[in-house]
Amino acid sequence: MAYKITDTCVACGTCAGECPVGAISEGEIYSIDADKCIDCGTCSSVCPTGAIEEA
Ligand code: SF4
């Protein structure tokens, strides 16, 4: 199981800087590499728009 970023993402980049395994990549909206994600939840807790949820 991995976290995923929904379309409420405003591409602020906050999550990418906090992910301990570098699983989040930049794009029109950000995305999470499910193979790298260790399910720590850090990104979800720092997202200002609540865009990151458990998949
Ligand atoms: Fe990275 Fe943790 Fe978010 Fe997975 S849950 S993308 S490991 S910050």
Side-chain angles (χ1 to χ4, degrees):
M1 195 135 98
Y3 280 72
K4 66 173 183 190
I5 300 178
T6 68
D7 62 7
T8 52
C9 171
V10 293
C12 68
T14 304
C15 57
E18 298 294 328
C19 179
V21 296
I24 303 178
S25 54
E26 197 176 349
E28 200 168 311
I29 65 170
Y30 279 64
S31 61
I32 295 173
D33 183 338
D35 292 330
K36 288 185 185 167
C37 177
I38 56 169
D39 247 342
C40 69
T42 304
C43 52
S44 180
S45 67
V46 299
C47 178
T49 66
I52 307 180
E53 50 189 43
E54 281 185 90

